[in-house]
Amino acid sequence: FLKSSPPPRFCWWQTLSEDTQTQWRTTPFACDFDQDDQMDLIVLDQEGYLTCQSRALEDPRHFMDEDEHPIRLNAQTSGRSGRVKLDVVDWDGDGRLDILVNSENATWYRNCETRSGKIVLKKIGPLAKRNVAGHTSSPSTCDFNRDGKPDLLVGAENGRIYHIAHDDCIAYPPEALEPRGPQAMQAPPFPGWVASSFVYQEAPFPQCHASTIVETPRGLVAAWFGGTREKHPDVGIWSSYHDGKQWSGPTEWATGVQHADLRYPTWNPVLFQPPGNQPLMLFFKVGPNPQEWWGEVLFSHDGGRSFRDRRRLPEGIDGPVRCKPLLMSSGHLLCPSSTEHGNDWRYHFETLVDLAHPELGDHWLRHEPVEQPFQIIQPTFLTHPDGTLQALCRSKHERIVQSFSSDEGRTWTALELTDMPNNNSGIESLTLEDGRHLLVYNHMGGGRRNEGWGFRNRIHLAMSLDGRKWQAVALLESADQGEFSYPSMIQSQDGRVHITYTWNRKRVRHMILDPSQLEPIGPVSLFDAH
């Protein structure tokens, strides 16, 4: 009756295993939970969901909360996963087996009823007032005083076993024990929207910009530059990682300090996770301005928890200038890049042939199309089924500019203006696993000042089947005044789309979408009024 499934990506092994495999430092419980005269196993699965491994159940995620969502006792990853101790007992004597979970002592999940063939567990609360947990606790029960009621025993980290009689435990009022019906789901801002939050609420810097996001085997990692303001010498490269439950606080990993009397700002971080067990790469720029900056890279060997091994890229190599690079079938990394020399903006591409040694000049190839009739920077990629690459670029011409390559980025077609507006601000594109293309951008032209500069107070999502004809999907965020700009976008292993972007230069917005629910609402001209 047991099924086989792969472990989460953060596990170093990736072999199929039976569903009896659980997270570390958890305590499964064996009992006849469904009363079919055969032993069942109450256990967390490898993703932290509470399950009942039973021959009588098709779906082992047999437990749900009052809103009829599967109960997930630990959504965190790696070393913060697991650590869940379980006990099964009919705590209130109603004939239904309840579940106790470690907390400051033990938290009671009451088995309230069966809905649609699944058990509704209501989280009632701790059974005692005293916190004995320390690092963790391990609850158990027995009729210690033989009064016909289960008493609570808790093993604690300090080596002691604590006991409290049933009648001395917290007595919850009857109304607190009854389950409510599922709450009506609030309509999302648009179909496919899953969640939206900030990577951080408070930070030791007043402004931020140019975020980047990536998925590692240990979860999501985001980075950005932060400081007094863009171009200020105190601007450094900061990052946070997501442990499956929340984002870590911002940590600074790189500054532009040259010596005691000279410090430059840093710019435009770009995260890239190579396949296999290779370290996470964090590209960024250092220099007084975009005309004089140079490229550098940091490495993380622990999934974005820390960065080290800082290296400077060869002369004339910037690495990915703002948008994510593309790993080619050859194993080479194609980096979209550009230069800004006075009033001359030009795009080019850089190919890294050895990801382990980006500091070596003979490991790079640089491809810069000669004919460039448009002022463009910061290319972003789309991929097509026949192997064609498409580059979409920010421009000074109030339109996104595009080009195509059929030889893995060595040569490119003549640049052409698209019908998509551009406010001389960064864009990000993504080809989904199902072949559809997404574009996050400000559907706004110029008008703020010359050279195509426009406002950034609205940010939009568009979709295309061929990369040429785009349709409106959603207005992601808008305000009468403000800035929502410089998006980054990926599709994670679970199929969801993650977007980050600058929020008023104060925070980094993180938005999660379900691409299976995204649908065009009409032509992109609908955005003209929004």
Side-chain angles (χ1 to χ4, degrees):
F1 69 100
L2 295 172
K3 300 179 176 64
S4 293
S5 59
R9 283 193 68 200
F10 62 77
C11 293
W12 62 267
W13 69 94
Q14 286 295 310
T15 55
L16 291 175
S17 58
E18 290 184 339
D19 286 342
T20 50
Q21 186 143 327
T22 185
Q23 295 184 342
W24 78 315
R25 295 188 179 183
T26 66
T27 303
F29 194 91
C31 64
D32 182 11
F33 191 89
D34 54 13
Q35 300 179 348
D36 64 352
D37 296 325
Q38 297 187 86
M39 294 297 287
D40 309 312
L41 194 64
I42 308 302
V43 60
L44 259 64
D45 65 17
Q46 296 183 91
E47 295 182 0
Y49 289 94
L50 184 63
T51 71
C52 177
Q53 302 293 339
S54 168
R55 295 165 180 82
L57 298 175
E58 180 66 26
D59 183 4
R61 292 180 180 175
H62 188 53
F63 305 103
M64 60 183 184
D65 61 21
E66 296 168 280
D67 291 318
E68 302 182 359
H69 299 145
I71 291 179
R72 195 176 194 181
L73 294 178
N74 194 338
Q76 299 179 94
T77 62
S78 300
R80 300 189 70 175
S81 65
R83 303 178 187 269
V84 175
K85 318 292 185 179
L86 303 172
D87 188 52
V88 179
V89 62
D90 181 5
W91 182 256
D92 56 353
D94 66 351
R96 299 177 70 91
L97 290 174
D98 307 310
I99 294 180
L100 306 184
V101 180
N102 61 301
S103 59
E104 59 265 37
N105 42 79
T107 293
W108 177 22
Y109 283 76
R110 182 171 182 263
N111 183 342
C112 296
E113 62 184 5
T114 301
R115 291 184 197 165
S116 304
K118 294 193 175 184
I119 300 296
V120 175
L121 296 180
K122 180 176 182 179
K123 184 178 180 180
I124 303 301
L127 291 177
K129 296 181 179 179
R130 183 176 178 181
N131 186 346
V132 300
H135 186 58
T136 187
S137 63
S138 185
S140 185
T141 55
C142 69
D143 186 4
F144 205 71
N145 56 10
R146 299 185 179 181
D147 65 351
K149 303 175 185 177
D151 305 313
L152 179 64
L153 299 173
V154 180
E157 187 183 12
N158 61 10
R160 293 186 173 95
I161 296 177
Y162 293 86
H163 162 261
I164 183 171
H166 189 281
D167 289 341
D168 293 329
C169 290
I170 296 175
Y172 289 92
E175 60 270 19
L177 305 182
E178 294 303 315
R180 58 168 172 77
Q183 293 181 336
M185 295 291 292
Q186 184 176 0
F190 56 87
W193 182 95
V194 175
S196 180
S197 62
F198 293 113
V199 173
Y200 61 86
Q201 292 287 348
E202 297 181 355
F205 47 83
Q207 289 196 10
C208 67
H209 194 37
S211 65
T212 175
I213 187 169
V214 74
E215 183 184 28
T216 76
R218 297 186 69 177
L220 299 173
V221 180
W224 59 92
F225 69 71
T228 298
R229 62 183 180 277
E230 184 177 356
K231 298 183 181 180
H232 193 281
D234 69 4
V235 170
I237 301 298
W238 298 73
S239 78
S240 293
Y241 64 86
H242 200 285
D243 63 12
K245 183 179 181 180
Q246 61 187 11
W247 288 98
S248 67
T251 300
E252 187 177 39
W253 296 109
T255 70
V257 172
Q258 305 302 300
H259 53 73
D261 299 317
L262 180 62
R263 176 170 175 166
Y264 291 135
T266 61
W267 311 75
N268 293 9
V270 178
L271 288 161
F272 174 71
Q273 177 62 65
N277 295 321
Q278 299 181 77
L280 173 66
M281 305 177 77
L282 173 55
F283 296 92
F284 60 99
K285 271 64 66 185
V286 181
N289 51 60
Q291 291 76 37
E292 299 176 81
W293 70 24
W294 62 86
E296 298 195 24
V297 64
L298 282 163
F299 293 87
S300 174
H301 298 267
D302 54 11
R305 272 61 178 169
S306 64
F307 289 89
R308 56 186 175 89
D309 297 341
R310 181 171 175 173
R311 306 176 197 177
R312 182 164 175 166
L313 302 183
E315 184 73 20
I317 297 295
D318 296 323
V321 76
R322 198 198 70 83
C323 298
K324 57 186 178 293
L326 186 63
L327 187 67
M328 310 307 295
S329 59
S330 61
H332 298 170
L333 188 66
L334 183 63
C335 300
S337 196
S338 55
T339 55
E340 304 173 39
H341 296 298
N343 292 323
D344 187 20
W345 286 9
R346 294 177 65 85
Y347 82 126
H348 69 271
F349 301 92
E350 301 166 357
T351 300
L352 175 59
V353 301
D354 183 356
L355 273 62
H357 296 286
E359 74 281 7
L360 300 180
D362 59 357
H363 291 172
W364 287 90
L365 301 172
R366 194 177 187 278
H367 319 283
E368 181 171 348
V370 176
E371 297 296 329
Q372 297 200 26
F374 300 107
Q375 297 287 302
I376 58 174
I377 55 173
Q378 300 174 357
T380 178
F381 290 130
L382 294 175
T383 60
H384 295 275
D386 63 356
T388 297
L389 303 180
Q390 181 178 359
L392 299 169
C393 302
R394 167 186 175 177
S395 85
K396 296 181 181 180
H397 308 282
E398 300 192 45
R399 287 287 185 272
I400 293 173
V401 176
Q402 67 184 7
S403 182
F404 297 84
S405 173
S406 58
D407 55 9
E408 296 199 338
R410 289 184 291 274
T411 61
W412 293 83
T413 62
L415 292 168
E416 56 185 277
L417 290 170
T418 72
D419 295 330
M420 301 294 282
N422 184 240
N423 56 339
N424 200 346
S425 183
I427 62 176
E428 178 81 307
S429 60
L430 174 68
T431 299
L432 297 171
E433 291 294 328
D434 63 12
R436 292 178 298 166
H437 309 292
L438 298 180
L439 178 66
V440 180
Y441 70 116
N442 305 102
H443 188 91
M444 309 170 75
R448 182 180 172 191
R449 61 178 191 262
N450 60 359
E451 295 190 329
W453 291 95
F455 294 97
R456 300 177 176 182
N457 58 314
R458 299 193 298 272
I459 190 166
H460 304 78
L461 177 66
M463 179 186 295
S464 175
L465 298 180
D466 61 5
R468 290 182 176 272
K469 298 179 181 178
W470 294 90
Q471 292 184 290
V473 173
L475 171 64
L476 299 181
E477 190 162 359
S478 68
D480 291 338
Q481 294 182 337
E483 178 178 347
F484 314 115
S485 65
Y486 267 51
S488 178
M489 177 168 48
I490 62 168
Q491 185 172 24
S492 55
Q493 189 184 47
D494 62 6
R496 289 183 169 179
V497 169
H498 296 265
I499 300 170
T500 61
Y501 56 85
T502 297
W503 189 85
N504 290 322
R505 298 272 173 154
K506 296 179 180 179
R507 296 176 185 166
V508 176
R509 170 76 77 186
H510 173 217
M511 187 173 292
I512 307 173
L513 308 179
D514 178 357
S516 68
Q517 302 301 311
L518 295 176
E519 293 292 342
I521 58 175
V524 290
S525 59
L526 290 175
F527 288 151
D528 291 344
H530 301 285

PDB file of all heavy atoms in Angstrom, residues 91 100-101 103-109 123-130 152 169-172:
ATOM      1  N   TRP A  91      -7.726  12.226  23.730  1.00  0.00           N
ATOM      2  CA  TRP A  91      -7.490  13.083  24.884  1.00  0.00           C
ATOM      3  C   TRP A  91      -8.764  13.461  25.611  1.00  0.00           C
ATOM      4  O   TRP A  91      -8.793  13.522  26.852  1.00  0.00           O
ATOM      5  CB  TRP A  91      -6.746  14.346  24.443  1.00  0.00           C
ATOM      6  CG  TRP A  91      -6.428  15.271  25.592  1.00  0.00           C
ATOM      7  CD1 TRP A  91      -7.057  16.433  25.921  1.00  0.00           C
ATOM      8  CD2 TRP A  91      -5.409  15.078  26.566  1.00  0.00           C
ATOM      9  NE1 TRP A  91      -6.500  16.987  27.038  1.00  0.00           N
ATOM     10  CE2 TRP A  91      -5.479  16.167  27.462  1.00  0.00           C
ATOM     11  CE3 TRP A  91      -4.448  14.091  26.782  1.00  0.00           C
ATOM     12  CZ2 TRP A  91      -4.618  16.295  28.555  1.00  0.00           C
ATOM     13  CZ3 TRP A  91      -3.592  14.224  27.871  1.00  0.00           C
ATOM     14  CH2 TRP A  91      -3.679  15.311  28.746  1.00  0.00           C
ATOM     15  N   LEU A 100      -1.297  14.840  19.441  1.00  0.00           N
ATOM     16  CA  LEU A 100      -0.516  15.810  20.199  1.00  0.00           C
ATOM     17  C   LEU A 100       0.790  16.066  19.470  1.00  0.00           C
ATOM     18  O   LEU A 100       1.437  15.135  18.984  1.00  0.00           O
ATOM     19  CB  LEU A 100      -0.245  15.303  21.615  1.00  0.00           C
ATOM     20  CG  LEU A 100      -1.454  14.885  22.457  1.00  0.00           C
ATOM     21  CD1 LEU A 100      -1.010  14.507  23.860  1.00  0.00           C
ATOM     22  CD2 LEU A 100      -2.516  15.973  22.496  1.00  0.00           C
ATOM     23  N   VAL A 101       1.176  17.332  19.393  1.00  0.00           N
ATOM     24  CA  VAL A 101       2.380  17.742  18.681  1.00  0.00           C
ATOM     25  C   VAL A 101       3.257  18.562  19.627  1.00  0.00           C
ATOM     26  O   VAL A 101       2.750  19.374  20.411  1.00  0.00           O
ATOM     27  CB  VAL A 101       2.030  18.586  17.435  1.00  0.00           C
ATOM     28  CG1 VAL A 101       3.288  19.012  16.689  1.00  0.00           C
ATOM     29  CG2 VAL A 101       1.100  17.804  16.513  1.00  0.00           C
ATOM     30  N   SER A 103       5.430  21.289  21.369  1.00  0.00           N
ATOM     31  CA  SER A 103       5.418  22.753  21.378  1.00  0.00           C
ATOM     32  C   SER A 103       6.152  23.171  22.640  1.00  0.00           C
ATOM     33  O   SER A 103       7.156  22.545  22.999  1.00  0.00           O
ATOM     34  CB  SER A 103       3.979  23.279  21.349  1.00  0.00           C
ATOM     35  OG  SER A 103       3.254  22.796  22.471  1.00  0.00           O
ATOM     36  N   GLU A 104       5.679  24.205  23.343  1.00  0.00           N
ATOM     37  CA  GLU A 104       6.291  24.519  24.633  1.00  0.00           C
ATOM     38  C   GLU A 104       6.096  23.364  25.619  1.00  0.00           C
ATOM     39  O   GLU A 104       6.875  23.170  26.531  1.00  0.00           O
ATOM     40  CB  GLU A 104       5.746  25.829  25.199  1.00  0.00           C
ATOM     41  CG  GLU A 104       4.239  25.835  25.402  1.00  0.00           C
ATOM     42  CD  GLU A 104       3.498  26.440  24.211  1.00  0.00           C
ATOM     43  OE1 GLU A 104       3.928  26.213  23.066  1.00  0.00           O
ATOM     44  OE2 GLU A 104       2.513  27.151  24.463  1.00  0.00           O
ATOM     45  N   ASN A 105       5.038  22.588  25.394  1.00  0.00           N
ATOM     46  CA  ASN A 105       4.863  21.296  26.075  1.00  0.00           C
ATOM     47  C   ASN A 105       4.251  20.326  25.057  1.00  0.00           C
ATOM     48  O   ASN A 105       4.967  19.557  24.446  1.00  0.00           O
ATOM     49  CB  ASN A 105       4.055  21.417  27.370  1.00  0.00           C
ATOM     50  CG  ASN A 105       2.850  22.345  27.240  1.00  0.00           C
ATOM     51  OD1 ASN A 105       1.815  21.978  26.701  1.00  0.00           O
ATOM     52  ND2 ASN A 105       3.000  23.602  27.731  1.00  0.00           N
ATOM     53  N   ALA A 106       2.954  20.421  24.839  1.00  0.00           N
ATOM     54  CA  ALA A 106       2.299  19.634  23.794  1.00  0.00           C
ATOM     55  C   ALA A 106       1.057  20.374  23.327  1.00  0.00           C
ATOM     56  O   ALA A 106       0.262  20.855  24.154  1.00  0.00           O
ATOM     57  CB  ALA A 106       1.922  18.244  24.297  1.00  0.00           C
ATOM     58  N   THR A 107       0.878  20.494  22.021  1.00  0.00           N
ATOM     59  CA  THR A 107      -0.294  21.152  21.451  1.00  0.00           C
ATOM     60  C   THR A 107      -1.303  20.099  21.025  1.00  0.00           C
ATOM     61  O   THR A 107      -0.960  19.116  20.375  1.00  0.00           O
ATOM     62  CB  THR A 107       0.100  22.022  20.247  1.00  0.00           C
ATOM     63  OG1 THR A 107       0.906  23.106  20.707  1.00  0.00           O
ATOM     64  CG2 THR A 107      -1.130  22.589  19.561  1.00  0.00           C
ATOM     65  N   TRP A 108      -2.551  20.334  21.392  1.00  0.00           N
ATOM     66  CA  TRP A 108      -3.644  19.389  21.130  1.00  0.00           C
ATOM     67  C   TRP A 108      -4.306  19.730  19.806  1.00  0.00           C
ATOM     68  O   TRP A 108      -4.821  20.830  19.614  1.00  0.00           O
ATOM     69  CB  TRP A 108      -4.648  19.481  22.289  1.00  0.00           C
ATOM     70  CG  TRP A 108      -5.879  18.631  22.153  1.00  0.00           C
ATOM     71  CD1 TRP A 108      -6.048  17.525  21.386  1.00  0.00           C
ATOM     72  CD2 TRP A 108      -7.119  18.835  22.850  1.00  0.00           C
ATOM     73  NE1 TRP A 108      -7.312  17.015  21.539  1.00  0.00           N
ATOM     74  CE2 TRP A 108      -7.986  17.804  22.440  1.00  0.00           C
ATOM     75  CE3 TRP A 108      -7.556  19.763  23.778  1.00  0.00           C
ATOM     76  CZ2 TRP A 108      -9.298  17.688  22.930  1.00  0.00           C
ATOM     77  CZ3 TRP A 108      -8.857  19.663  24.271  1.00  0.00           C
ATOM     78  CH2 TRP A 108      -9.712  18.628  23.846  1.00  0.00           C
ATOM     79  N   TYR A 109      -4.253  18.773  18.870  1.00  0.00           N
ATOM     80  CA  TYR A 109      -5.034  18.826  17.638  1.00  0.00           C
ATOM     81  C   TYR A 109      -6.212  17.885  17.804  1.00  0.00           C
ATOM     82  O   TYR A 109      -6.054  16.663  17.784  1.00  0.00           O
ATOM     83  CB  TYR A 109      -4.177  18.416  16.435  1.00  0.00           C
ATOM     84  CG  TYR A 109      -3.226  19.478  15.960  1.00  0.00           C
ATOM     85  CD1 TYR A 109      -2.047  19.753  16.649  1.00  0.00           C
ATOM     86  CD2 TYR A 109      -3.494  20.228  14.807  1.00  0.00           C
ATOM     87  CE1 TYR A 109      -1.166  20.733  16.208  1.00  0.00           C
ATOM     88  CE2 TYR A 109      -2.623  21.205  14.368  1.00  0.00           C
ATOM     89  CZ  TYR A 109      -1.463  21.460  15.071  1.00  0.00           C
ATOM     90  OH  TYR A 109      -0.591  22.425  14.632  1.00  0.00           O
ATOM     91  N   LYS A 123      -6.713  22.809  15.748  1.00  0.00           N
ATOM     92  CA  LYS A 123      -5.632  23.135  16.662  1.00  0.00           C
ATOM     93  C   LYS A 123      -6.217  23.879  17.865  1.00  0.00           C
ATOM     94  O   LYS A 123      -6.617  25.033  17.774  1.00  0.00           O
ATOM     95  CB  LYS A 123      -4.580  23.985  15.952  1.00  0.00           C
ATOM     96  CG  LYS A 123      -3.372  24.305  16.803  1.00  0.00           C
ATOM     97  CD  LYS A 123      -2.345  25.124  16.015  1.00  0.00           C
ATOM     98  CE  LYS A 123      -1.122  25.445  16.859  1.00  0.00           C
ATOM     99  NZ  LYS A 123      -0.122  26.236  16.087  1.00  0.00           N
ATOM    100  N   ILE A 124      -6.266  23.184  19.005  1.00  0.00           N
ATOM    101  CA  ILE A 124      -6.883  23.750  20.193  1.00  0.00           C
ATOM    102  C   ILE A 124      -5.902  24.639  20.944  1.00  0.00           C
ATOM    103  O   ILE A 124      -6.203  25.767  21.299  1.00  0.00           O
ATOM    104  CB  ILE A 124      -7.402  22.636  21.122  1.00  0.00           C
ATOM    105  CG1 ILE A 124      -8.393  21.729  20.354  1.00  0.00           C
ATOM    106  CG2 ILE A 124      -8.074  23.239  22.346  1.00  0.00           C
ATOM    107  CD1 ILE A 124      -9.601  22.429  19.800  1.00  0.00           C
ATOM    108  N   GLY A 125      -4.698  24.108  21.195  1.00  0.00           N
ATOM    109  CA  GLY A 125      -3.705  24.878  21.928  1.00  0.00           C
ATOM    110  C   GLY A 125      -2.889  23.991  22.838  1.00  0.00           C
ATOM    111  O   GLY A 125      -3.055  22.769  22.882  1.00  0.00           O
ATOM    112  N   PRO A 126      -1.963  24.582  23.607  1.00  0.00           N
ATOM    113  CA  PRO A 126      -1.120  23.780  24.506  1.00  0.00           C
ATOM    114  C   PRO A 126      -1.946  23.181  25.635  1.00  0.00           C
ATOM    115  O   PRO A 126      -2.948  23.751  26.068  1.00  0.00           O
ATOM    116  CB  PRO A 126      -0.095  24.786  25.015  1.00  0.00           C
ATOM    117  CG  PRO A 126      -0.773  26.111  24.898  1.00  0.00           C
ATOM    118  CD  PRO A 126      -1.631  26.011  23.667  1.00  0.00           C
ATOM    119  N   LEU A 127      -1.471  22.055  26.162  1.00  0.00           N
ATOM    120  CA  LEU A 127      -2.192  21.375  27.239  1.00  0.00           C
ATOM    121  C   LEU A 127      -1.782  21.870  28.614  1.00  0.00           C
ATOM    122  O   LEU A 127      -2.473  21.606  29.599  1.00  0.00           O
ATOM    123  CB  LEU A 127      -1.974  19.869  27.142  1.00  0.00           C
ATOM    124  CG  LEU A 127      -2.629  19.190  25.929  1.00  0.00           C
ATOM    125  CD1 LEU A 127      -2.286  17.705  25.892  1.00  0.00           C
ATOM    126  CD2 LEU A 127      -4.144  19.390  25.943  1.00  0.00           C
ATOM    127  N   ALA A 128      -0.664  22.549  28.701  1.00  0.00           N
ATOM    128  CA  ALA A 128      -0.192  23.056  29.983  1.00  0.00           C
ATOM    129  C   ALA A 128       0.322  24.478  29.822  1.00  0.00           C
ATOM    130  O   ALA A 128       0.558  24.946  28.704  1.00  0.00           O
ATOM    131  CB  ALA A 128       0.897  22.147  30.545  1.00  0.00           C
ATOM    132  N   LYS A 129       0.512  25.173  30.937  1.00  0.00           N
ATOM    133  CA  LYS A 129       0.963  26.561  30.900  1.00  0.00           C
ATOM    134  C   LYS A 129       2.481  26.673  30.922  1.00  0.00           C
ATOM    135  O   LYS A 129       3.036  27.655  30.447  1.00  0.00           O
ATOM    136  CB  LYS A 129       0.378  27.334  32.080  1.00  0.00           C
ATOM    137  CG  LYS A 129      -1.141  27.450  32.043  1.00  0.00           C
ATOM    138  CD  LYS A 129      -1.665  28.242  33.235  1.00  0.00           C
ATOM    139  CE  LYS A 129      -3.186  28.370  33.177  1.00  0.00           C
ATOM    140  NZ  LYS A 129      -3.703  29.120  34.358  1.00  0.00           N
ATOM    141  N   ARG A 130       3.149  25.676  31.449  1.00  0.00           N
ATOM    142  CA  ARG A 130       4.600  25.777  31.636  1.00  0.00           C
ATOM    143  C   ARG A 130       5.339  25.440  30.343  1.00  0.00           C
ATOM    144  O   ARG A 130       5.016  24.460  29.677  1.00  0.00           O
ATOM    145  CB  ARG A 130       5.045  24.836  32.751  1.00  0.00           C
ATOM    146  CG  ARG A 130       6.530  24.934  33.066  1.00  0.00           C
ATOM    147  CD  ARG A 130       6.893  24.064  34.247  1.00  0.00           C
ATOM    148  NE  ARG A 130       8.327  24.117  34.518  1.00  0.00           N
ATOM    149  CZ  ARG A 130       8.939  23.440  35.494  1.00  0.00           C
ATOM    150  NH1 ARG A 130       8.214  22.666  36.301  1.00  0.00           N
ATOM    151  NH2 ARG A 130      10.245  23.528  35.669  1.00  0.00           N
ATOM    152  N   LEU A 152      -0.288  13.613  30.776  1.00  0.00           N
ATOM    153  CA  LEU A 152       0.724  14.076  29.830  1.00  0.00           C
ATOM    154  C   LEU A 152       2.123  13.912  30.398  1.00  0.00           C
ATOM    155  O   LEU A 152       2.402  14.331  31.532  1.00  0.00           O
ATOM    156  CB  LEU A 152       0.478  15.547  29.490  1.00  0.00           C
ATOM    157  CG  LEU A 152       1.484  16.198  28.528  1.00  0.00           C
ATOM    158  CD1 LEU A 152       1.439  15.532  27.152  1.00  0.00           C
ATOM    159  CD2 LEU A 152       1.211  17.700  28.410  1.00  0.00           C
ATOM    160  N   CYS A 169      -4.383  19.814  33.537  1.00  0.00           N
ATOM    161  CA  CYS A 169      -4.090  20.450  32.251  1.00  0.00           C
ATOM    162  C   CYS A 169      -5.086  21.567  31.976  1.00  0.00           C
ATOM    163  O   CYS A 169      -6.117  21.701  32.649  1.00  0.00           O
ATOM    164  CB  CYS A 169      -4.131  19.413  31.132  1.00  0.00           C
ATOM    165  SG  CYS A 169      -2.772  18.236  31.185  1.00  0.00           S
ATOM    166  N   ILE A 170      -4.786  22.404  30.997  1.00  0.00           N
ATOM    167  CA  ILE A 170      -5.683  23.496  30.627  1.00  0.00           C
ATOM    168  C   ILE A 170      -7.018  22.934  30.173  1.00  0.00           C
ATOM    169  O   ILE A 170      -7.084  22.021  29.337  1.00  0.00           O
ATOM    170  CB  ILE A 170      -5.058  24.348  29.507  1.00  0.00           C
ATOM    171  CG1 ILE A 170      -3.775  25.019  29.998  1.00  0.00           C
ATOM    172  CG2 ILE A 170      -6.049  25.397  29.005  1.00  0.00           C
ATOM    173  CD1 ILE A 170      -3.021  25.778  28.907  1.00  0.00           C
ATOM    174  N   ALA A 171      -8.093  23.466  30.751  1.00  0.00           N
ATOM    175  CA  ALA A 171      -9.450  23.053  30.369  1.00  0.00           C
ATOM    176  C   ALA A 171     -10.018  24.107  29.416  1.00  0.00           C
ATOM    177  O   ALA A 171     -10.261  25.248  29.809  1.00  0.00           O
ATOM    178  CB  ALA A 171     -10.334  22.911  31.598  1.00  0.00           C
ATOM    179  N   TYR A 172     -10.211  23.719  28.171  1.00  0.00           N
ATOM    180  CA  TYR A 172     -10.742  24.640  27.175  1.00  0.00           C
ATOM    181  C   TYR A 172     -12.266  24.614  27.195  1.00  0.00           C
ATOM    182  O   TYR A 172     -12.875  23.543  27.394  1.00  0.00           O
ATOM    183  CB  TYR A 172     -10.226  24.266  25.792  1.00  0.00           C
ATOM    184  CG  TYR A 172      -8.753  24.557  25.602  1.00  0.00           C
ATOM    185  CD1 TYR A 172      -7.786  23.585  25.867  1.00  0.00           C
ATOM    186  CD2 TYR A 172      -8.327  25.812  25.181  1.00  0.00           C
ATOM    187  CE1 TYR A 172      -6.433  23.856  25.715  1.00  0.00           C
ATOM    188  CE2 TYR A 172      -6.975  26.096  25.014  1.00  0.00           C
ATOM    189  CZ  TYR A 172      -6.035  25.109  25.290  1.00  0.00           C
ATOM    190  OH  TYR A 172      -4.700  25.387  25.138  1.00  0.00           O
TER     191      TYR A 172
END
